[in-house]
Amino acid sequence: MHRISFILYKRFSDIAVHRVVIPKVAIIGSGPAGFYAAQQLIKLNNEVVIDIYERLPVPFGLVRYGVAPDHPEVKNVINTFTKTAKHSRVNFIGNVKLGKDVSLSTLKEAYHAVILAYGADKDKEFGIPGENKPNVISARRFVGWYNGLPEDNTLLPNLNCEHVVVLGQGNVAVDVARILLTPVDILKKTDITQYALEALAQSRVKSVHLIGRRGPLQVAFTIKEFREMLRLPQVCTSFKTDQMAGVKEIIPKLVRPRKRLTELMVDAALKQNKGNADKMFYPLFLRSPVSILGSGDVTGVRLSVNTLEGSDFEKQTAVTTEKYEDLHCGMVLRSIGYQSTKADPDIPFDLKACKALPAPGIYSAGWLCTGPVGVILTTMSNAFEAGILVAKHIADKSIDVSQPKPGLDYVKQQLLQKGIQTVSFSDWERIDGVEIKRGKEVGKPREKITNVNEMLQIASQHR
Ligand SMILES: Cc1cc2nc3c(=O)[nH]c(=O)nc-3n(C[C@H](O)[C@H](O)[C@H](O)COP(=O)(O)OP(=O)(O)OC[C@H]3O[C@@H](n4cnc5c(N)ncnc54)[C@H](O)[C@@H]3O)c2cc1C
């Protein structure tokens, strides 16, 4: 071989042997966990390419479909997620569901690592008689309804009743109670869906009971949510006097933030005065639902009266007594938490704890990893950890990046064969633009599109 061509050949073969392999990572789910994991990973690795897959044509998970419409400030995290989505090494692929449109085994072939961040979209149940009656609705679906989640846009809750019972005392329970009690004039300036607004304008609901199995010292809602209830115009918050007896004396023993919340509850209990309020909010403690009453429609809830066992306030457990009482109502919202499911048969999954488990090349983040607890900030910490771990494993070669992986091209080819229309981030921005324009016309920040076909149709315009 000629000397120069030999040198060139040698150089090229060296390059071929020592070719740079770009690490490719798929993230499943575009809620806070998916975006925060991606944000951390691109920061720590200068080469990694990240593809975020989302079952819906639109991103942001529970920030769009969970966070209450009257909490717009919470949704500001969307600005950070948008920056991440627009990063040159990040792609958003909407309308692709893991376990239906794409399998974990395909993703493993296409990527060096997969981060599962698809949240918890099933609700826990009590398993009590009557739980399947019409108008016994999970708070998850009710929230999905007023927030425009496509699968819940036909829910039709019957608000033609005066009394509603919410089973649960977490922040989601307070959210749904607040939406039911807030004057429509306030809600109509939010991004709540138009159909929910119309239904709430016709609502006859006058009272909401919020039922907890433990006492006032164990409530799961936080001070911000409780304070908002106290500030609702024309709504009176009322406690059973005997349930608040002795609570004030315990306050000095409590630590923050429980201390401040309890002070506020005690204060509210002292001040409770119906005045000219036309709606009532009743936090009711030491009660557990036993059955939903009514031969056809819901007429009430039978509750067992509980006592507390244990000396440590935080850890006291509720024990049922032989006493029962019936609470009259026409609607029941069950709000006892969310649950993750195994979206694909190959996912390593703890069926008892309902959490994804780690495996080589498979990571999890957010509610799928921690269980459905905590707020966006807690999800952020967990997702950052997942991003850091994947970056570390790429660096120390625990993730095998010696061979190139085909990534998005490979998955897209399969999706194309199945006739699945994918949605890019700029497609989403088109949908976003239409929603904001429609909102402007009626004085709202946005009018959400709640139909997947319409979203896909807008996404595909001007391509
Ligand atoms: C009703 C409600 C109100 C809340 N309000 C607040 C609040 O005001 N402030 C606050 O800080 N926190 C709030 N939170 C908590 C916060 O929403 C969560 O901490 C956070 O959203 C969890 O993030 P995640 O990414 O794990 O899950 P998610 O936000 O649920 O995101 C998961 C994403 O994965 C997608 N997905 C699901 N299955 C698949 C699949 N098979 N394939 C592809 N994609 C899939 C989902 O569509 C979703 O977009 C609220 C939660 C709820 C339920």
Short mmCIF file of all heavy atoms in Angstrom, two decimals, residues 1-13:
data_model
loop_
_atom_site.label_atom_id
_atom_site.label_comp_id
_atom_site.label_asym_id
_atom_site.label_seq_id
_atom_site.Cartn_x
_atom_site.Cartn_y
_atom_site.Cartn_z
N MET A 1 0.84 -1.20 0.00
CA MET A 1 0.00 0.00 0.00
C MET A 1 0.88 1.26 0.00
O MET A 1 1.96 1.27 0.60
CB MET A 1 -0.88 -0.01 1.24
CG MET A 1 -2.00 0.98 1.14
SD MET A 1 -2.96 1.06 2.64
CE MET A 1 -3.67 -0.56 2.72
N HIS A 2 0.46 2.29 -0.75
CA HIS A 2 1.19 3.56 -0.76
C HIS A 2 1.29 4.08 0.67
O HIS A 2 0.36 3.95 1.46
CB HIS A 2 0.38 4.54 -1.65
CG HIS A 2 1.20 5.70 -2.09
ND1 HIS A 2 1.36 6.81 -1.30
CD2 HIS A 2 1.91 5.91 -3.23
CE1 HIS A 2 2.13 7.67 -1.94
NE2 HIS A 2 2.49 7.11 -3.13
N ARG A 3 2.47 4.70 0.99
CA ARG A 3 2.69 5.11 2.39
C ARG A 3 1.60 6.07 2.92
O ARG A 3 1.03 5.85 4.00
CB ARG A 3 4.07 5.77 2.50
CG ARG A 3 4.52 5.88 3.93
CD ARG A 3 5.92 6.42 4.04
NE ARG A 3 6.07 7.21 5.25
CZ ARG A 3 6.05 6.70 6.49
NH1 ARG A 3 5.85 5.43 6.66
NH2 ARG A 3 6.19 7.47 7.53
N ILE A 4 1.26 7.13 2.08
CA ILE A 4 0.26 8.12 2.55
C ILE A 4 -1.10 7.46 2.76
O ILE A 4 -1.75 7.63 3.80
CB ILE A 4 0.15 9.29 1.55
CG1 ILE A 4 1.46 10.02 1.55
CG2 ILE A 4 -1.09 10.15 1.87
CD1 ILE A 4 1.47 11.48 1.60
N SER A 5 -1.52 6.64 1.76
CA SER A 5 -2.84 6.02 1.94
C SER A 5 -2.83 5.04 3.11
O SER A 5 -3.84 4.88 3.80
CB SER A 5 -3.33 5.33 0.65
OG SER A 5 -2.29 4.83 -0.07
N PHE A 6 -1.65 4.44 3.40
CA PHE A 6 -1.58 3.54 4.55
C PHE A 6 -1.83 4.32 5.86
O PHE A 6 -2.60 3.91 6.72
CB PHE A 6 -0.21 2.86 4.60
CG PHE A 6 -0.06 2.01 5.85
CD1 PHE A 6 -0.71 0.78 5.95
CD2 PHE A 6 0.69 2.47 6.94
CE1 PHE A 6 -0.59 0.02 7.10
CE2 PHE A 6 0.80 1.70 8.08
CZ PHE A 6 0.16 0.48 8.16
N ILE A 7 -1.15 5.54 5.92
CA ILE A 7 -1.32 6.36 7.14
C ILE A 7 -2.79 6.76 7.30
O ILE A 7 -3.37 6.63 8.38
CB ILE A 7 -0.40 7.61 7.10
CG1 ILE A 7 1.05 7.17 7.27
CG2 ILE A 7 -0.77 8.61 8.21
CD1 ILE A 7 2.07 8.23 6.98
N LEU A 8 -3.38 7.20 6.17
CA LEU A 8 -4.79 7.61 6.24
C LEU A 8 -5.69 6.45 6.68
O LEU A 8 -6.56 6.58 7.53
CB LEU A 8 -5.27 8.13 4.88
CG LEU A 8 -4.89 9.58 4.56
CD1 LEU A 8 -5.37 9.94 3.17
CD2 LEU A 8 -5.49 10.51 5.60
N TYR A 9 -5.41 5.26 6.07
CA TYR A 9 -6.20 4.07 6.41
C TYR A 9 -6.10 3.80 7.91
O TYR A 9 -7.07 3.55 8.61
CB TYR A 9 -5.68 2.87 5.60
CG TYR A 9 -6.20 1.55 6.10
CD1 TYR A 9 -7.50 1.13 5.78
CD2 TYR A 9 -5.43 0.75 6.94
CE1 TYR A 9 -7.99 -0.07 6.26
CE2 TYR A 9 -5.91 -0.44 7.42
CZ TYR A 9 -7.19 -0.85 7.09
OH TYR A 9 -7.67 -2.02 7.58
N LYS A 10 -4.84 3.91 8.41
CA LYS A 10 -4.60 3.64 9.82
C LYS A 10 -5.40 4.61 10.70
O LYS A 10 -6.04 4.22 11.68
CB LYS A 10 -3.09 3.79 10.05
CG LYS A 10 -2.59 3.43 11.41
CD LYS A 10 -2.09 2.00 11.43
CE LYS A 10 -1.59 1.57 12.80
NZ LYS A 10 -2.41 1.93 13.89
N ARG A 11 -5.33 5.93 10.30
CA ARG A 11 -6.07 6.94 11.08
C ARG A 11 -7.57 6.60 11.14
O ARG A 11 -8.17 6.59 12.19
CB ARG A 11 -5.92 8.32 10.43
CG ARG A 11 -4.57 8.91 10.68
CD ARG A 11 -4.73 10.22 11.48
NE ARG A 11 -3.43 10.60 11.97
CZ ARG A 11 -2.70 11.56 11.40
NH1 ARG A 11 -3.18 12.23 10.39
NH2 ARG A 11 -1.52 11.85 11.88
N PHE A 12 -8.15 6.33 9.96
CA PHE A 12 -9.59 6.07 9.91
C PHE A 12 -9.98 4.82 10.70
O PHE A 12 -10.98 4.79 11.39
CB PHE A 12 -10.07 5.94 8.45
CG PHE A 12 -10.24 7.28 7.80
CD1 PHE A 12 -9.62 7.58 6.60
CD2 PHE A 12 -11.03 8.26 8.39
CE1 PHE A 12 -9.76 8.82 6.01
CE2 PHE A 12 -11.18 9.51 7.81
CZ PHE A 12 -10.55 9.80 6.62
N SER A 13 -9.09 3.79 10.60
CA SER A 13 -9.46 2.57 11.33
C SER A 13 -9.36 2.82 12.82
O SER A 13 -10.13 2.29 13.61
CB SER A 13 -8.61 1.38 10.89
OG SER A 13 -7.26 1.68 11.11
#
